[in-house]
Amino acid sequence: MHRTGQGGIVVDMEDDSTVIERSARDPDCFAVIFDRHAAHIHRYLARRLGRETADDLVAETFLTAFRKRGQYDPQRPDARPWLYGIATNLVGQHRRAELREYRLRQALAADRGEDFPADRIDADVTARSLRRLLTGALAELSPGDRDVLLLIAWEELTYEQVAAALTIPVGTVRSRLNRARRKVRRALGETDPSMTFEERLSNG
């Protein structure tokens, strides 16, 4: 079933850029963007934060996108990298909020004389949604390096798409990816990190 906008135009047949531009006049058209990309964004968020959190954040991702649709670059026919960028920012916000909560719990536990190891804070925040074998290696990466690596390894974005998603130069994407791969390779005993990702993801 085709979705039509004002004037009976078949919006489903238009590229993302055209749909987003049209949604400025006909906001209901933006639902097409959700229909096209929500499953991919949800999968990405679930891998990083777990399915329950992803259910909330995928809605927030598209709400943020709707509010910012006037800033969308009309030269980009595919909106998915843009949506990945919004989702990645929300992942960072969520992790920072979790970290603050864990630190508060640690402080309260210390006041009560309870045992709450400091190294459990960062481990719990990261390990929840990452494969067991890669958790330690990915946790050692900076947030920027980790975002680049996961967008390429999990979502199979090109360098150019990652650059658009994170609003960084392509050269920065390459340098972050190379740095991340070196660190992961060392952590995994010099094995091929991309192969490890593929094996783990196919079994996940």
Side-chain angles (χ1 to χ4, degrees):
M1 178 178 178
H2 292 304
R3 189 188 301 272
T4 57
Q6 292 178 347
I9 298 171
V10 181
V11 182
D12 284 350
M13 305 301 292
E14 298 176 330
D15 64 27
D16 291 346
S17 176
T18 303
V19 173
I20 292 172
E21 183 180 4
R22 189 179 300 284
S23 73
R25 303 183 299 276
D26 182 7
D28 288 347
C29 290
F30 199 82
V32 172
I33 302 300
F34 181 89
D35 293 343
R36 289 176 180 175
H37 303 298
H40 295 277
I41 300 303
H42 186 276
R43 181 188 63 185
Y44 172 63
L45 289 168
R47 282 170 163 174
R48 299 204 62 175
L49 297 172
R51 182 170 297 277
E52 183 176 347
T53 302
D55 291 343
D56 295 330
L57 289 191
V58 73
E60 189 171 348
T61 296
F62 282 91
L63 179 59
T64 300
F66 180 78
R67 289 171 175 167
K68 294 184 175 182
R69 67 192 189 281
Q71 304 172 20
Y72 186 75
D73 183 355
Q75 300 301 313
R76 298 185 179 277
D78 183 3
R80 194 175 300 169
W82 177 59
L83 295 169
Y84 278 129
I86 294 172
T88 299
N89 286 337
L90 292 175
V91 168
Q93 293 172 18
H94 180 82
R95 291 197 184 284
R96 287 190 291 272
E98 276 194 332
L99 186 57
R100 287 193 295 270
E101 180 180 351
Y102 275 112
R103 285 175 172 164
L104 176 60
R105 290 181 181 177
Q106 182 192 28
L108 294 174
D111 287 342
R112 294 192 296 264
E114 298 177 4
D115 182 25
F116 199 100
D119 60 358
R120 195 175 130 196
I121 300 173
D122 291 327
D124 283 350
V125 169
T126 304
R128 183 174 301 174
S129 58
L130 298 175
R131 301 294 188 270
R132 183 178 301 274
L133 182 62
L134 297 176
T135 295
L138 292 175
E140 292 297 320
L141 300 178
S142 70
D145 290 356
R146 184 164 55 243
D147 291 340
V148 167
L149 183 62
L150 295 183
L151 284 171
I152 289 175
W154 279 352
E155 304 308 314
E156 300 182 352
L157 268 62
T158 65
Y159 292 169
E160 290 75 15
Q161 288 174 324
V162 174
L166 303 181
T167 60
I168 57 178
V170 172
T172 301
V173 172
R174 294 180 185 277
S175 62
R176 288 184 180 181
L177 180 62
N178 289 336
R179 183 167 55 242
R181 282 175 169 167
R182 285 198 304 270
K183 291 181 178 179
V184 171
R185 186 178 293 113
R186 284 198 299 268
L188 298 180
E190 299 299 322
T191 58
D192 181 358
S194 61
M195 182 180 299
T196 301
F197 269 115
E198 291 298 328
E199 292 173 352
R200 293 298 166 182
L201 292 177
S202 64
N203 293 330

